[in-house]
């Protein structure tokens, strides 16, 4: 071997350049290391200098760094193997305390890692070049696996995990993966990276985290990640730790199992591996896995999980179906035997639904299922702790009955009797009054036992959900409706005529003696309450007069009055329960019949007669409870949706009921309580939610019956909703605009429809609302608990004076309607749906979609809603955070990208008008920044608008970046008359004085004041949505200060991107002759501040010479293929 070949540096250089293969170089380096270890380590460190220095060489530098890491790893591995072999040869003379040979130290990797850490800058220091940081992070991550317990390497990787370059963060995450098991700091860093903006970083962090009690919650958050690779890595990680199923909650496990039906095949495959691992860990049974899931709290999620398992394990599903849904054998007690949980019946039902008809007939035994149904129905009537579970089991069995094929006449009669028994005795659906009118509440009621009984009755009559409208089909519908109405009469007969309660109903069959008795009891209770108040006053007066004998007499009278009052209340509750149970069951049956029937109501006398014979008398019952009132209104709304003439007759009623929601804004409505002690506005809000959906649906379905004024009146009523109850009308308004937006646009062109125009604006604000993260909300809630004067969780700066007095009110009266979002997840979902709505709006057929989106932004600007986007300081715990209700830059960019060029001029005009009206608040709302961001797509006339805004008093400093990106205009005295761009479909607003497009500040504020007064006349409390004025903060946000400093600095700082440089350099001026090069350079140097001017030429030449002297020869890394 030549002398040069014995030089480790020479061998490394030849291998890096490709002259020697790695297989030949490694044995040579091992031999040299045995001869002189220090020389090999020094050579590796020297080559590491060049590799890090030339990190910008790309793949060549990466391969060179990987080769150095492989060399160090190979040498340490060979040294360790040789020492272990020598120890075993000598009889294991070196033993540790545990009886194992001690691991050899990393003689090569550790010093190389220390040297690379030094090259990377050490602790809290890093190179500015991203290529150098990336190369150092890659090598440190690889060497950290070879050198366990290296504290400095861990600290450096933690720094790299916060780098601004995503690729560096990903490399750091992979390096931390090897040391996260022994380091709490590394585990916390990986947990933080699971929410990184970069997909690759999130996927790597999820794959690196070990499943434990501390990390399970963080990992489960990624199950709803938008990227399939992140979800797939989550399931792959969970499959490697099947024992970690003990750390997963019931709801989380159900959500994970539902991943078997993910929309991406790779995620479904990974979820299958995880489920198989859990199944084997639990003993190989699917029911054991499903029993760990929460199937009743979220029934839709539970059914999705069970359906996924039934599809993956069909054989076990068939076995469970035969056991619980097959033929019963043995004694009669087997029919009364109920499962211990919902898993067996749910799994069996979904397994049956996935079978073919032939296989289903072999497994199902309808008579046996009917016996189980009777047993469950009897158990469900007992009001005990298991009543909810029995109701769930009853609904599962009824779904199986509805799925079964009924061909035999005897079986058909048995099924019909079961359905009738369910209508008579099944437990009523327990839906909270606050869920009435919501999508979730409607879906829950539609799956009740009564609804399933109606479906079964329709099936035995030969009807299905969707059939062609023929005479035969209508006859079957009428027969089915008549049968159900006859059952209603049987249900109400015991209630109408029973011993002493019998009374001549006359034309009001549901005006019963019980209702009259309840009304009398209410009057008696009111009298006793007044008597109690008088006695209290008399007792206080007697005590003040020191007439203790009279005070004692009054005290005895108070006791007797309290006893009488308690008896009256107890009797009222008994009669209410007796009456409401029958009335509520009747209403539930009518609602179910209206939901599932396809009959023509006008040709179905039995179904149409329920309006006059049941609903109208019931709504007139004296002492009507709030549940009955809401249920009766819901049934009437269903009638209106089914028939246009009924909707036209009740149109005024629906509008009146909905407009009662405005009473929630008053203090009296907030403080008033119902008979059960709950706030009275619960009922008002529930009625309004039901009527809002009915108004929107009727307007969309019955356009041929309702006239144009009635259709517009529905949107006007929904638009004038109070701020605290705006969620009630979001979905109805979206449906109305999607179907009838053209009608609004046509009317708005004739006469402005101010209230509907206002609704477009606040809906767009809700779509881009800035919401806090759930962790921050929880932290704020915990901090605010001991301080009653602080705002509640989720409240923005938009508050009302009444809320400040809530802390001094009684506990039962302190409850108020939501003024801001209390459930962050629900609000984010609603904002996502609103964003989808406004994204679809410009794509609607016709020419009204894009102008409506433009009108939405103009409504925000003209009504003052833009002030909710102003950044305001929020100081808590000694820290100042700048908060805003929505992001104007995001909103403006969203609208600007989706409207055609001819409409963008309107957006610029209203934005610059805000800058003129409020030059101090407009920068805090980042309106100039939003305009500068879209300056490349500025419409014709934007430069003229900007020039006019500056003349009218807009802030020149905040608009300077925008001015530099727009073409320069001549002086105002030489300006010509502006040529307005053509706008399709929407006429431009009235010009200002002297033909100007922008109004003077005073005129602009007056125009906004007039708009707010006009909205107030329409019943809209604009002050609750956005204040008319805001106090300007005395300080500026930090990022605003940085922008101002950058503009005043004379140019961009070193290392800035090309985009930043272009934002500072002004645009070329028109009609101006360019200066000669030398004169231009001299003028530029003269205008610079003294600290920015260059030194003498000699100093510059000396700097260049020094740089050339220190420069070293670069390895030919870029030339390596």
């Amino acid at each position: 071997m030549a002398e040069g070949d014995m030089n480790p540096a020479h061998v490394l250089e030849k291998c890096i350049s490709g002259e020697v293969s790695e297989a030949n170089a490694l044995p040579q380096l091992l031999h040299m290391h045995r001869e002189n270890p220090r020389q090999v380590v020094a050579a590796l460190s020297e080559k590491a200098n060049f590799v890090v220095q030339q990190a910008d060489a790309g793949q060549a530098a990466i391969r060179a760094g990987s080769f150095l890491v492989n060399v160090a790893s190979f040498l340490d591995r060979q040294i360790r193997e040789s020492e272990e072999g020598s120890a075993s040869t000598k009889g294991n003379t070196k033993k540790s305390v545990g009886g194992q040979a001690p691991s050899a130290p990393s003689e090569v990797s550790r010093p190389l890692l220390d040297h690379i850490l030094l090259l990377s800058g050490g602790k809290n220091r890093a190179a500015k070049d991203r290529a150098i940081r990336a190369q150092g992070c890659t090598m440190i991550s690889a060497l950290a696996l070879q050198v366990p317990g290296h504290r400095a390497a861990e600290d450096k990787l933690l720094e790299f995990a916060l780098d601004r370059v995503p690729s560096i963060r990903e490399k750091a995450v992979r390096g931390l993966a090897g040391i996260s098991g022994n380091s709490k700091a590394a585990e916390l860093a990986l947990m933080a990276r699971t929410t990184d903006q970069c997909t690759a970083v999130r996927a790597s962090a999820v794959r690196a985290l070990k499943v434990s009690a501390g990390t399970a919650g963080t990992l489960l958050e990624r199950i709803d990640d938008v990227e399939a690779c992140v979800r797939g890595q989550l399931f792959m990680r969970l499959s490697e730790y099947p024992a970690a199923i003990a750390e997963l909650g019931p709801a989380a496990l159900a959500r994970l199992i539902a991943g078997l039906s993910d929309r991406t095949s790779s995620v479904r495959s990974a979820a299958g591996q995880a489920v198989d691992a859990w199944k084997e860990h639990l003993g190989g049974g699917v029911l054991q896995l499903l029993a760990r899931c929460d199937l009743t709290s979220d029934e839709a999620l539970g059914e999705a999980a069970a359906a996924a398992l039934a599809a993956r394990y069909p054989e076990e599903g068939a076995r469970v179906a035969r056991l619980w849904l097959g033929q019963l054998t043995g004694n009669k007690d087997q029919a009364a035997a109920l499962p211990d949980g919902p898993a067996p019946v749910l799994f069996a039902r979904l397994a049956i639904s996935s079978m073919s008809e032939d296989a289903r007939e072999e497994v199902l035994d309808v008579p046996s299922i009917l016996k189980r149904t009777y047993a469950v129905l009897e158990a469900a009537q007992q009001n005990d702790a298991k009543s909810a579970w029995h109701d769930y089991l009853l609904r599962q069995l009824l779904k199986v009955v509805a799925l079964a094929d009924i061909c035999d006449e005897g079986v058909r009669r048995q099924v019909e009797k079961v359905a009738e028994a369910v209508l008579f005795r099944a437990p009523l659906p327990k839906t909270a009054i606050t869920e009435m009118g919501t999508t979730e509440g409607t879906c829950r009621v539609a799956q009740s036992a009564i609804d399933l009984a109606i479906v079964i009755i329709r099936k035995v009559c030969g009807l299905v959900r969707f059939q062609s409208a023929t005479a035969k089909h209508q006859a079957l519908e009428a027969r089915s409706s008549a049968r159900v109405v006859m059952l209603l009469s049987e249900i109400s007969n015991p209630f109408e005529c029973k011993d002493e309660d019998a009374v001549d109903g006359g034309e009001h069959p549901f005006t019963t003696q019980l209702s009259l008795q309840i009304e009398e009891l209410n009057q008696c209770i009111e009298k006793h309450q007044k008597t109690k108040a008088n006695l209290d006053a008399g007792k206080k007066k007697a005590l003040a007069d020191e007439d203790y004998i009279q005070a004692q007499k009054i005290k005895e009278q108070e006791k007797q009055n309290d006893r009488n009052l308690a008896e009256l209340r107890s009797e009222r509750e008994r009669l209410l329960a007796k009456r409401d149970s029958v009335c509520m069951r009747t209403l539930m049956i009518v609602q179910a019949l209206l939901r599932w029937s396809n009959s023509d109501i006008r040709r179905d006398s039995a179904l149409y007669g329920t309006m006059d014979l049941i609903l109208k008398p019931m709504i007139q019952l004296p002492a009507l409870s709030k549940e009955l009132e809401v249920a009766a209104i819901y049934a009437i709304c269903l009638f209106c949706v089914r028939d246009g003439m009924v909707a036209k007759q009740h149109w005024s009623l629906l509008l009146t009921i909905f407009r009662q929601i405005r009473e929630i804004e008053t203090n009296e409505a907030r403080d008033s309580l119902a008979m059960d002690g709950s706030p009275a506005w619960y009922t008002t809000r529930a009625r309004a939610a039901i009527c809002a959906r009915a108004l929107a649906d009727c307007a969309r379905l019955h356009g041929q019956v309702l006239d144009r004024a009635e259709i517009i009146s529905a949107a006007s009523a929904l638009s004038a909703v109070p701020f605290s109850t705006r969620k009630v009308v979001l979905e109805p308004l979206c449906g109305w605009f999607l179907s009838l937006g053209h009608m609004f646009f046509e009317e708005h062109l004739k006469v402005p429809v101010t209230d509907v125009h206002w609704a477009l604006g606040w809906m767009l604000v809700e779509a881009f609302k800035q919401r806090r993260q759930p962790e921050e909300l929880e932290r704020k809630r915990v901090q605010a608990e001991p301080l009653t004067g602080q705002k509640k969780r989720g409240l923005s700066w938009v508050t009302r004076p009444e809320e400040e007095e809530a802390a001094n009110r009684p506990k039962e009266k302190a409850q108020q309607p939501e003024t801001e979002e209390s459930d962050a997840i629900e609000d984010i979902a609603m904002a996502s749906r609103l964003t989808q709505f406004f994204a679809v709006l410009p794509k609607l057929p016709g020419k009204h979609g894009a102008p409506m989106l433009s009108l939405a932004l103009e409504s925000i600007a003209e009504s003052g809603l833009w002030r909710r986007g102003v950044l305001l300081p929020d100081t808590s715990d000694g820290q100042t955070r700048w908060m805003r209700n929505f992001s104007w830059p995001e909103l403006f960019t969203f609208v600007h990208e989706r409207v055609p060029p001819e409409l963008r001029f309107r957006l610029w005009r209203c934005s610059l008008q805000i800058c003129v009206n409020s030059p101090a608040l407009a920068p805090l709302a980042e309106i100039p920044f939003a305009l500068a961001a879209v300056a490349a797509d500025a419409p014709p006339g934007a430069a003229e608008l900007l020039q006019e805004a500056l003349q009218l008093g807009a802030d020149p400093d905040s608009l300077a970046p925008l001015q530099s990106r727009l073409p320069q205009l001549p002086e105002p005295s030489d300006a010509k008359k502006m040529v307005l761009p053509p706008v399709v479909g929407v006429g431009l607003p009235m010009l200002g004085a002297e033909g100007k497009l922008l109004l003077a500040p005073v005129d602009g504020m007056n125009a906004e004041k007039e708009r707010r007064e006009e909205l107030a006349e329409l019943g809209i409390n604009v002050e609750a949505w956005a204040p008319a004025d805001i106090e300007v903060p005395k300080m500026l946000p930090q990022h605003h200060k940085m922008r101002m400093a950058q503009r005043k600095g004379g140019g961009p700082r070193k290392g800035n991107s090309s985009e930043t440089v272009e934002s500072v350099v002004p645009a070329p001026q028109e009609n101006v002759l360019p200066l000669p090069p030398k004169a231009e350079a001299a003028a530029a140097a003269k205008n610079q501040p003294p600290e920015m001017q260059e030194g003498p030429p000699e100093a510059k030449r000396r700097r260049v010479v020094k740089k050339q002297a220190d420069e070293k020869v670069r390895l030919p890394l870029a030339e390596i293929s």
Side-chain angles (χ1 to χ4, degrees):
M1 184 177 295
E3 183 178 356
D5 295 339
M6 294 299 296
N7 187 0
H10 185 66
V11 175
L12 291 174
E13 184 176 353
K14 284 187 175 182
C15 188
I16 291 175
S17 61
E19 299 180 10
V20 178
S21 63
E22 184 176 346
N24 295 331
L26 291 179
Q28 296 180 23
L29 293 172
L30 177 62
H31 176 71
M32 296 176 189
H33 183 270
R34 290 172 178 172
E35 297 293 335
N36 191 352
R38 186 179 297 274
Q39 185 180 10
V40 175
V41 173
L44 288 173
S45 301
E46 183 180 359
K47 296 304 176 185
N49 294 340
F50 291 103
V51 170
V52 174
Q53 182 183 5
Q54 303 179 28
D56 55 354
Q59 293 295 326
I62 295 176
R63 288 195 296 270
S66 178
F67 171 70
L68 295 181
V69 173
N70 292 340
V71 170
S73 176
F74 173 77
L75 295 178
D76 284 338
R77 186 170 58 255
Q78 294 297 326
I79 294 171
R80 189 178 300 109
E81 291 177 358
S82 62
E83 290 186 358
E84 291 176 356
S86 61
S88 61
T89 304
K90 295 178 181 179
N92 297 330
T93 55
K94 296 182 179 181
K95 290 283 185 178
S96 64
V97 178
Q100 297 180 355
S103 59
S106 303
E107 298 183 0
V108 182
S109 299
R110 182 176 291 275
L112 181 60
L113 177 58
D114 294 336
H115 185 74
I116 295 176
L117 288 172
L118 183 62
L119 295 177
S120 300
K123 188 176 182 179
N124 297 329
R125 297 181 63 185
K128 294 183 178 180
D129 191 352
R130 66 176 62 185
I132 295 178
R133 297 199 309 273
Q135 184 66 47
C137 181
T138 302
M139 300 182 69
I140 293 174
S141 300
L143 290 172
L145 300 177
Q146 308 296 329
V147 187
H150 200 288
R151 183 64 181 175
E154 180 183 347
D155 295 340
K156 195 62 182 178
L157 289 175
L158 292 175
E159 294 179 16
F160 281 133
L162 301 176
D163 197 276
R164 63 176 179 271
V165 181
S167 60
I168 298 178
R169 297 199 301 271
E170 182 189 6
K171 294 180 177 66
V173 165
R174 294 185 178 183
L176 291 173
I179 58 178
S180 61
N182 301 324
S183 174
K184 186 65 176 179
E187 185 178 90
L188 293 176
L190 291 176
M191 293 171 63
R193 289 304 96 202
T194 56
T195 58
D196 196 275
Q197 296 181 355
C198 179
T199 303
V201 178
R202 294 200 308 273
S204 300
V206 170
R207 192 71 172 87
L209 266 180
K210 294 183 178 180
V211 185
S212 62
T215 61
T218 303
L219 287 172
L220 292 176
E221 292 178 359
R222 295 299 95 206
I223 195 172
D224 294 322
D225 199 283
V226 295
E227 298 294 338
C229 62
V230 180
R231 302 195 301 272
Q233 292 297 331
L234 169 63
F235 285 109
M236 292 297 295
R237 194 59 171 172
L238 292 174
S239 64
E240 297 174 358
Y241 294 90
I245 191 175
E247 308 295 341
L248 303 177
L253 184 59
R255 179 63 184 88
L256 289 171
I257 295 176
L260 290 171
S261 57
D262 194 273
R263 58 184 178 272
T264 307
S265 59
S266 60
V267 180
R268 294 196 297 268
S269 177
Q273 297 182 21
V275 171
D276 292 341
W278 292 333
K279 178 173 172 289
E280 295 298 329
H281 176 74
L282 295 175
V286 178
L287 290 180
Q288 298 178 5
L289 177 60
L290 194 59
R292 284 177 167 266
C293 301
D294 185 4
L295 304 176
T296 56
S297 298
D298 190 348
E299 295 186 11
L301 179 60
E303 290 195 7
L309 290 176
R312 187 169 183 84
Y313 307 104
E315 297 181 357
E316 189 164 355
R319 181 180 60 81
V320 175
R322 289 189 183 92
L323 177 63
W324 290 100
L325 304 178
Q327 185 176 4
L328 296 175
T329 57
N331 53 12
K332 297 181 180 180
D333 295 337
Q334 187 177 359
L338 303 179
D340 298 332
V345 178
L346 179 62
F347 185 61
R349 179 179 72 82
L350 294 172
I352 286 293
S353 62
S354 61
M355 294 180 182
S356 61
E357 293 185 2
D358 296 337
R360 190 182 305 159
E361 292 179 359
E362 294 180 359
V363 175
L364 282 182
D365 186 70
V366 178
S368 300
I369 297 174
L370 297 180
K371 292 180 182 179
R372 291 187 183 274
T373 305
Y374 274 117
V376 175
L377 185 60
E378 292 293 336
Q381 294 180 357
Q382 302 174 3
N383 294 325
D384 53 6
K386 295 183 178 181
S387 58
W389 150 239
H390 292 151
D391 176 56
Y392 179 85
L393 183 58
L394 176 62
R395 287 187 283 114
Q396 299 303 319
L397 292 175
L398 290 176
K399 290 179 181 179
V400 176
V401 174
L403 186 64
D405 188 9
I406 304 172
C407 299
D408 185 77
E409 180 64 21
V411 175
R412 190 194 67 80
R413 292 179 181 177
Q414 295 179 11
V415 171
E416 187 176 8
K417 289 182 180 180
V418 168
E420 293 175 0
V422 170
L423 291 179
F424 276 97
R425 296 183 292 169
L428 297 175
K430 297 179 180 180
T431 303
I433 193 71
T434 55
E435 295 182 354
M436 290 290 186
T438 62
T439 304
E440 294 78 8
T442 304
C443 294
R444 189 177 297 109
V445 172
Q447 299 292 330
S448 64
I450 292 179
D451 281 73
L452 293 172
I454 294 294
V455 172
I456 293 174
I457 290 177
R458 289 174 52 82
K459 183 173 183 177
V460 297
C461 292
L463 295 170
V464 293
R465 185 67 180 92
F466 300 103
Q467 283 180 328
S468 58
T470 61
K472 180 180 178 181
H473 172 261
Q474 181 61 37
L476 293 176
E477 289 282 358
R479 176 186 172 188
S480 174
S481 301
R483 179 60 182 152
V484 175
V485 172
M486 290 178 62
L487 293 176
L488 288 177
S489 62
E490 295 179 11
I491 292 174
S492 59
N493 276 337
F495 176 59
E496 291 296 326
C497 302
K498 186 177 180 181
D499 300 335
E500 70 277 2
D501 294 338
V503 67
D504 185 11
E507 59 179 347
H508 302 291
F510 275 86
T511 304
T512 62
Q513 183 66 27
L514 287 179
S515 297
L516 296 176
Q517 291 179 5
I518 293 172
E519 187 178 19
E520 293 177 0
L521 288 174
N522 288 335
Q523 296 175 359
C524 294
I525 290 173
E526 185 177 357
K527 291 181 181 179
H528 281 73
Q529 289 176 345
K530 291 181 180 180
T531 303
K532 182 178 180 181
N534 295 333
L535 291 175
D536 288 338
K539 185 174 65 174
K540 290 180 181 179
K541 182 179 178 181
L543 292 175
D545 297 340
E546 297 183 356
D547 189 355
Y548 299 108
I549 297 177
Q550 181 66 19
Q552 182 64 25
K553 292 180 180 179
I554 295 176
K555 184 177 180 180
E556 296 296 332
Q557 294 177 7
E558 276 188 334
K559 292 181 179 179
Q560 182 62 32
N561 184 76
D562 292 341
R563 286 193 293 268
N564 296 335
L565 186 61
E567 293 177 359
L568 290 174
R569 288 176 176 174
S570 176
E571 180 66 14
R572 184 184 64 178
E573 294 298 328
R574 185 185 68 83
L575 294 179
L576 278 174
K578 185 177 181 181
R579 183 200 63 176
D580 289 358
S581 61
V582 178
C583 292
M584 186 62 70
R585 184 175 299 276
T586 303
L587 287 175
M588 291 294 105
I589 295 175
V590 173
Q591 293 177 13
L593 188 59
L594 289 170
R595 269 193 297 266
W596 294 98
S597 176
N598 292 329
S599 176
D600 184 0
I601 295 183
R602 294 288 174 174
R603 299 167 59 187
D604 194 338
S605 58
L607 181 58
Y608 188 75
T610 56
M611 171 64 81
D612 296 328
L613 298 178
I614 296 178
L615 298 182
K616 290 182 178 180
M618 187 172 294
I619 203 68
Q620 298 173 0
L621 281 176
L624 194 65
S625 61
K626 61 180 183 179
E627 289 82 4
L628 280 181
E629 180 184 357
V630 173
I633 292 176
Y634 181 56
I636 294 175
C637 290
L638 286 177
F639 258 103
C640 295
V641 174
R642 292 295 304 272
D643 187 75
M645 292 304 298
V646 175
K648 192 174 184 67
Q649 295 171 3
H650 295 80
W651 196 254
S652 299
L653 174 65
L654 297 180
L655 291 176
T656 303
I657 295 175
F658 176 78
R659 285 169 180 162
Q660 291 177 355
I661 198 174
R662 300 177 185 176
E663 299 176 358
I664 296 180
E665 293 293 314
T666 62
N667 294 333
E668 292 79 5
R670 294 181 182 182
D671 296 340
S672 61
L673 300 176
M675 289 186 298
D676 59 353
S678 62
W681 54 265
Y682 279 172
T683 307
T684 305
R685 181 170 181 171
R687 292 182 310 194
I690 294 171
C691 292
R693 291 178 178 269
L695 287 169
D697 292 342
C698 292
R700 295 159 59 190
L701 295 175
H702 308 314
Q704 297 178 354
V705 179
L706 301 174
D707 55 23
R708 183 176 287 255
E710 290 173 332
I711 295 175
I712 295 295
S713 66
S716 299
L718 298 179
S719 302
V721 66
F723 174 79
S724 58
T725 54
R726 62 198 182 280
K727 294 182 184 178
V728 171
V729 301
L730 284 176
E731 291 186 6
L733 273 178
C734 289
W736 192 95
F737 279 119
L738 289 176
S739 301
L740 304 169
H742 64 282
M743 189 176 297
F744 155 72
F745 187 64
E746 294 170 1
E747 294 295 325
H748 190 72
L749 289 179
K750 300 175 185 178
V751 178
V753 188
T754 308
D755 43 10
V756 183
H757 186 198
W758 154 262
L760 282 173
W762 68 258
M763 289 172 64
L764 186 59
V765 168
E766 289 295 315
F768 289 90
K769 199 162 185 188
Q770 298 288 306
R771 292 173 174 84
R772 304 176 185 179
Q773 296 296 328
E775 300 85 10
E776 183 181 353
L777 290 173
E778 182 66 19
R779 180 182 61 83
K780 296 284 287 184
R781 183 188 65 81
V782 174
Q783 293 174 356
E785 281 180 353
L787 303 177
T788 58
Q790 291 186 1
K791 295 181 180 180
K792 294 183 179 180
R793 177 171 66 99
L795 292 185
S796 70
W797 55 270
V798 183
T799 55
R800 287 175 285 279
E802 292 81 4
E803 295 174 355
E804 299 176 358
E805 304 175 0
N808 300 325
R809 298 175 183 172
K811 182 178 180 181
E812 65 272 11
K813 294 187 178 182
Q815 302 177 5
Q816 296 181 356
E818 296 176 356
T819 55
E820 276 297 323
E821 285 72 15
S822 60
D823 191 348
I825 298 177
E826 179 185 354
D827 298 329
I828 291 174
M830 179 59 69
S832 176
R833 290 195 290 269
L834 284 174
T835 305
Q836 294 176 3
F837 162 73
F838 283 105
V840 172
L841 194 60
K843 302 177 183 178
L844 294 178
K847 297 182 179 180
H848 64 281
M852 286 176 59
L853 186 58
S854 175
L855 288 173
L857 189 138
E858 294 176 31
S859 174
I860 299 173
E862 295 171 0
S863 61
L865 275 176
W866 64 270
R867 292 188 181 89
R868 296 180 67 183
V870 175
L871 287 166
L872 294 176
D874 179 21
T875 303
S876 60
D877 298 337
Q879 297 181 355
T880 300
R881 295 185 178 183
W882 290 85
M883 309 295 295
R884 59 185 173 189
N885 200 262
F886 76 97
S887 174
W888 176 275
E890 293 182 6
L891 185 149
F892 186 85
T893 304
F894 176 87
V895 177
H896 198 273
E897 291 176 350
R898 285 163 177 80
V899 298
E902 57 268 17
L903 287 176
R904 292 175 181 171
F905 185 83
R906 300 177 64 91
L907 308 182
W908 282 68
R909 179 187 180 277
C910 64
S911 300
L912 288 173
Q913 185 65 58
I914 296 176
C915 298
V916 173
N917 295 346
S918 302
L921 289 178
L924 291 175
E926 297 187 339
I927 296 177
F929 172 74
L931 292 172
V934 297
D937 300 326
E944 288 81 356
L945 275 175
L946 177 60
Q947 186 182 54
E948 186 176 342
L950 294 174
Q951 295 173 8
L952 292 175
D955 184 17
D957 293 335
S958 61
L959 293 173
L962 175 62
Q963 189 177 14
S964 65
R965 299 186 184 189
L966 294 178
Q968 298 292 333
L969 296 177
E971 295 297 328
S973 58
D974 300 332
K976 300 180 181 180
K977 186 177 181 180
M978 185 186 306
V979 179
L980 301 181
V983 180
V984 177
V986 183
L988 283 173
M990 185 180 297
L991 299 180
E994 300 179 359
K996 293 185 177 181
L997 285 174
L998 297 178
L999 300 175
V1002 177
D1003 297 336
M1005 296 301 295
N1006 291 335
E1008 180 183 329
K1009 183 179 179 181
E1010 293 176 0
R1011 172 61 65 89
R1012 296 172 72 94
E1013 291 176 354
E1014 185 179 356
L1015 291 173
E1017 293 177 357
L1018 296 173
I1020 301 173
N1021 186 9
V1022 190
E1023 194 66 25
W1025 290 84
D1029 195 10
I1030 299 176
E1031 183 180 356
V1032 181
K1034 297 181 180 180
M1035 53 183 176
L1036 292 177
Q1038 188 66 28
H1039 60 286
H1040 285 198
K1041 294 180 181 179
M1042 295 174 62
R1043 291 175 187 168
M1044 295 175 62
Q1046 187 175 1
R1047 291 197 300 267
K1048 296 179 180 180
R1053 291 178 295 179
K1054 185 177 180 181
N1056 282 8
S1057 60
S1058 58
E1059 292 82 357
T1060 308
V1061 176
E1062 293 175 1
S1063 64
V1064 179
V1065 178
Q1069 299 182 357
E1070 297 181 358
N1071 303 326
V1072 177
L1073 293 176
L1075 294 174
K1078 294 184 179 180
E1080 185 178 1
K1086 184 178 179 180
N1087 293 332
Q1088 288 184 350
E1091 61 271 15
M1092 299 296 296
Q1093 296 181 4
E1094 297 181 355
E1098 291 79 5
K1100 186 174 183 179
R1101 284 196 297 269
R1102 285 196 300 269
R1103 184 175 66 227
V1104 173
V1105 171
K1106 183 178 180 181
K1107 182 178 179 181
Q1108 292 178 355
D1110 295 340
E1111 189 175 359
K1112 296 183 179 180
V1113 180
R1114 297 169 60 89
L1115 289 175
L1117 296 179
E1119 300 175 1
I1120 301 175
S1121 58

